[in-house]
Amino acid sequence: MGGIIAVANQKGGVGKTTTAVNLAAALAMAQRKTLLIDIDSQANATSGLGVDAAEVETTIYQVLVEGAPLRDAVCETAIKHLHIVPATRELTGAEIALERRSEWEYALADQLRPLAHEYDFVLIDCPPSLSRLTVNALVAADRVLVPLQCEYYAMEGLSQLIDTVAAVSESLNPDLVLFGIVLTMFDVRTNLSRQVAAEVRSHFGDVVCETVIPRSVRLAEAPSHGVPVFLHDIRSSGAGAYLELSREIIRRAAAAGPLAAKGETAHG
Ligand code: ATP
Ligand code: MG
């Protein structure tokens, strides 16, 4: 198994969903059975994969709040080997509902445990906050992938995210590691993009993925067609970059070695 990867950054609009959707699709196209879980009430990953939330009965909300089996929420997509657990607007209510639940931190982890081994990769598209939903993703995951937009304030808030990852790995999920930082929306025409990329690399070294995602109109257009970029324009620079990133993630996951098998015994 390649791992359970939370795609997280509490900063909004940095490319989390674009990365989650297109990386998941690229992994699936490389014959890796992949599950994408949408835990953002904006439901951008859901619509971005063409799933009409109005037509699905069970979404991540019913799974986390009402205890519906995760398996019941799994939907197929236009890409072979890629499944998604959709979200809807309803998920905004999950924060309060989780607050009332004991051991709310494990709501997703408990649901994922019996299903995860059926997949090579599980990706979780997180909301732009360090909310209870994001903590659930960090507890369920064993790896965190952080998209970072190549802009002036890119690293602002990053230490808070890293502190949260450290806190979760200390107290709730010792398996959790910061797996990678991926630079997104890189603009070859600007010095700023190059400067930001160089600064992030000098700060974080090998944690930063070699693959850089360029600014690409095709990546921004694809969600309006409800498809990953590969079904919109496979020859675009954005498609090429996410294919390259998928190869790097497969390599990194293999190099990181086997994951600790999560025990069947419950936490607590
Ligand atoms: P949120 O925090 O709201 O969930 P996010 O971090 O998931 O946002 P995205 O939705 O992936 O970010 O991207 C924000 C916007 O930037 C979207 O309109 C998306 O289409 C666009 N975008 C993302 N990556 C790229 C890229 N490499 N090139 C061009 N546009 C991009
Ligand atoms: Mg998003």
Side-chain angles (χ1 to χ4, degrees):
M1 211 237 174
I4 303 170
I5 303 174
V7 181
N9 188 337
Q10 79 276 24
K11 225 169 187 206
V14 298
K16 291 180 290 295
T17 302
T18 304
T19 297
V21 165
N22 292 300
L23 175 59
L27 290 167
M29 286 160 59
Q31 315 290 318
R32 302 310 194 277
K33 219 182 155 201
T34 301
L35 177 66
L36 175 59
I37 302 177
D38 190 352
I39 60 153
D40 182 4
S41 63
Q42 298 178 91
N44 294 148
T46 301
S47 58
L49 277 179
V51 174
D52 183 357
E55 288 193 355
V56 290
E57 263 176 38
T58 310
T59 69
I60 192 67
Y61 179 86
Q62 279 77 39
V63 172
L64 295 180
V65 174
E66 295 166 10
L70 185 63
R71 192 182 299 278
D72 290 359
V74 173
C75 300
E76 297 197 339
T77 72
I79 305 247
K80 201 181 167 194
H81 303 306
L82 177 60
H83 293 165
I84 182 168
V85 170
T88 60
R89 277 263 154 226
E90 196 180 9
L91 194 59
T92 44
E95 282 294 322
I96 289 168
L98 283 171
E99 190 184 336
R100 296 200 202 100
R101 203 191 124 138
S102 68
E103 302 205 317
W104 58 267
E105 298 94 334
Y106 298 93
L108 182 59
D110 286 349
Q111 285 274 7
L112 193 52
R113 195 172 295 120
L115 197 65
H117 68 270
E118 293 176 26
Y119 291 91
D120 296 308
F121 285 93
V122 178
L123 269 59
I124 308 171
D125 184 28
C126 293
S129 64
L130 294 171
S131 60
R132 287 189 172 79
L133 286 166
T134 299
V135 170
N136 258 275
L138 297 178
V139 173
D142 25 55
R143 298 174 165 157
V144 187
L145 183 65
V146 181
L148 209 66
Q149 187 180 345
C150 294
E151 49 145 30
Y152 186 59
Y153 291 114
M155 288 203 284
E156 198 187 78
L158 197 55
S159 61
Q160 210 188 339
L161 175 60
I162 289 170
D163 289 349
T164 304
V165 170
V168 168
S169 89
E170 256 170 46
S171 58
L172 299 165
N173 177 14
D175 298 336
L176 190 69
V177 293
L178 178 60
F179 183 55
I181 293 173
V182 58
L183 296 165
T184 65
M185 296 183 238
F186 185 91
D187 191 339
V188 284
R189 295 165 307 178
T190 68
N191 281 329
L192 181 62
S193 269
R194 270 191 292 275
Q195 280 163 15
V196 170
E199 195 186 337
V200 173
R201 283 190 196 285
S202 78
H203 231 87
F204 291 98
D206 287 348
V207 176
V208 187
C209 295
E210 282 164 42
T211 311
V212 173
I213 309 300
R215 203 168 260 290
S216 154
V217 174
R218 295 291 185 249
L219 284 172
E221 288 170 350
S224 69
H225 302 280
V227 291
V229 69
F230 313 107
L231 298 183
H232 178 53
D233 183 355
I234 197 160
R235 284 165 309 183
S236 62
S237 61
Y242 277 109
L243 284 173
E244 184 59 42
L245 182 64
S246 72
R247 288 189 281 267
E248 184 174 354
I249 292 298
I250 290 168
R251 273 201 312 274
R252 279 174 173 250
L259 290 163
K262 296 218 175 179
E264 285 301 311
T265 48
H267 44 81

